[in-house]
Amino acid sequence: MRETTKNIKNLSLRGEILAMYAIETSGLSKAFRNIYAVQNLDLRVPEGSIYGFIGENGSGKSTTEKLIAGLLVPSGGEIRLYGKHYTDAGIRTRMGVLIENPGCFPGSTVYQNLMMQALNLNIKNPNAEVKRALKLVSMSGAANRKFKQCSLGMKQRLGVAQSLLGRPRMLVLDEPINGLDADGMRIVRETLIELNRKEGVTILISSHILGELSKIATHYAIIRYGTLIKEMQANEMSEECRDFVFTKTNNDTQAIAVLSRRYKEIEQKDGGIRVYGETESANVGGLLYANGLSVNEISFRKIGLEEYYLRIMSQNKEGN
């Protein structure tokens, strides 16, 4: 009966029926010289999700990912991958990892570095697998370039290619778009979306570029000082990140007085006025014009992930 209850718990997340969690941590902790980098962390990463891992520098993101990847030993708690202990050899072979910087030999070419990793993983037909990984990150044309001659962005994409060798079932990526230009971000973003949607790869990804993360994540976790602050699905995040009409006028003080007669929630921010609960810019503009105000700028907008994150962090600090 106890085991049945545990299985039922693993099959649900906020009412959503799932096969299982790809990653589940319970009370996960890691201390360095009696200072906790991660403390009693409970994460639930659904199978087939792109799980955005968000937090300030020093919040414990990289430490958590190293624990999940088996690069560090926990001080306490439990890690399960697809329902099995995280040290299970069969599961570990299906995990691709990029944490911090790709481990490559500077004097070897991009192709050679990938080939060495493929041989180390005992991959069948390594040449075909290396070519596949290079194509996925749009680096086929740079195969013969030495690693030391690659830009930071190219090195990051090579690291992503390394993590894709062997067709992993799960990816653990720490800041994979760090140092990438707009086109590099697009390539990595499209690669991750394709792997997730077409091949069902579960992706745990941390990033400081929250606007980019919001384009791909299906779930989020926000941590601070190694402790979970909030865990939510993308649709819940979307509900929290409300819509509003933004406007600038020739007299914002008077505009606020006018708008307050019709709208309950108005905020002066970013050099203009936000009108929450309104989706039609024309309604706001018409009201302002009717009251003799000139509208210099008006548009429909939505609170972004970065602003939402900063609000959560601010509320948490105040709570402390």
Side-chain angles (χ1 to χ4, degrees):
M1 181 67 180
R2 188 174 298 172
E3 185 63 29
T4 301
T5 302
K6 182 177 180 181
N7 289 339
I8 292 173
K9 180 182 177 183
N10 273 343
L11 290 173
S12 66
L13 176 65
R14 298 185 180 91
E16 181 183 0
I17 303 302
L18 300 164
M20 65 171 63
Y21 297 122
I23 304 171
E24 182 176 11
T25 72
S26 301
L28 182 62
S29 299
K30 179 61 180 179
F32 298 95
R33 297 182 180 179
N34 298 320
I35 297 176
Y36 280 90
V38 175
Q39 191 166 16
N40 296 321
L41 186 63
D42 296 337
L43 295 180
R44 306 289 183 270
V45 179
E47 183 174 4
S49 66
I50 300 180
Y51 192 92
F53 203 27
I54 307 170
E56 302 164 309
N57 287 333
S59 62
K61 300 190 303 298
S62 294
T63 300
T64 301
E65 290 179 318
K66 288 177 181 177
L67 289 165
I68 291 169
L71 301 176
L72 290 174
V73 178
S75 301
E78 185 180 17
I79 305 170
R80 301 190 72 81
L81 306 177
Y82 295 102
K84 297 184 178 181
H85 193 268
Y86 80 108
T87 58
D88 183 273
I91 292 296
R92 300 225 65 82
T93 60
R94 302 305 306 277
M95 177 185 285
V97 177
L98 172 60
I99 295 179
E100 294 177 348
N101 301 310
C104 294
F105 293 95
S108 297
T109 66
V110 166
Y111 175 86
Q112 289 168 339
N113 273 292
L114 286 174
M115 181 59 76
M116 284 185 277
Q117 178 71 351
L119 293 172
N120 183 52
L121 294 172
N122 198 29
I123 291 174
K124 294 181 180 179
N125 198 354
N127 180 60
E129 184 64 17
V130 166
K131 288 182 177 180
R132 169 185 174 271
L134 284 171
K135 184 177 180 180
L136 280 170
V137 297
S138 299
M139 284 190 66
S140 299
N144 295 320
R145 181 176 298 192
K146 290 186 177 180
F147 180 76
K148 63 183 179 182
Q149 296 172 336
C150 292
S151 66
L152 175 59
M154 292 177 69
K155 290 176 180 178
Q156 285 298 105
R157 282 158 60 190
L158 175 56
V160 173
Q162 282 184 321
S163 72
L164 298 176
L165 291 174
R167 302 172 185 259
R169 186 178 176 185
M170 177 197 306
L171 291 175
V172 178
L173 306 174
D174 181 30
E175 301 285 350
I177 56 178
N178 180 44
L180 297 182
D181 58 17
D183 193 52
M185 289 184 192
R186 177 190 60 78
I187 291 168
V188 172
R189 179 177 71 243
E190 292 176 353
T191 298
L192 296 181
I193 289 173
E194 181 177 358
L195 289 168
N196 175 256
R197 293 179 182 175
K198 292 185 178 180
E199 300 183 28
V201 177
T202 301
I203 303 168
L204 172 62
I205 175 173
S206 67
S207 178
H208 283 98
I209 307 175
L210 302 186
E212 195 67 21
L213 193 60
S214 68
K215 296 175 183 177
I216 63 172
T218 62
H219 296 72
Y220 297 93
I222 300 174
I223 69 168
R224 186 165 185 259
Y225 300 145
T227 302
L228 183 68
I229 300 300
K230 197 158 190 174
E231 188 177 48
M232 63 201 308
Q233 297 179 35
N235 60 344
E236 294 174 294
M237 177 73 79
S238 182
E239 290 173 6
E240 294 279 355
C241 295
R242 295 177 299 162
D243 299 329
F244 61 92
V245 171
F246 178 81
T247 185
K248 292 182 181 181
T249 71
N250 62 330
N251 189 332
D252 283 355
T253 301
Q254 186 179 344
I256 289 172
V258 170
L259 293 168
S260 297
R261 298 171 198 160
R262 179 179 296 182
Y263 300 103
K264 293 181 179 179
E265 192 171 358
I266 297 168
E267 182 181 21
Q268 199 161 10
K269 191 178 179 69
D270 300 328
I273 304 168
R274 291 185 177 188
V275 182
Y276 295 100
E278 177 60 82
T279 59
E280 295 294 334
S281 300
N283 292 339
V284 174
L287 179 61
L288 294 171
Y289 279 125
N291 284 272
L293 290 159
S294 296
V295 176
N296 301 325
E297 179 183 336
I298 191 165
S299 60
F300 175 71
R301 299 184 184 180
K302 187 179 185 68
I303 292 175
L305 175 58
E306 185 168 358
E307 181 179 337
Y308 176 76
Y309 166 73
L310 292 173
R311 286 189 179 186
I312 291 291
M313 289 295 98
S314 176
Q315 291 168 5
N316 185 253
K317 288 176 182 177
E318 291 170 3
N320 289 342

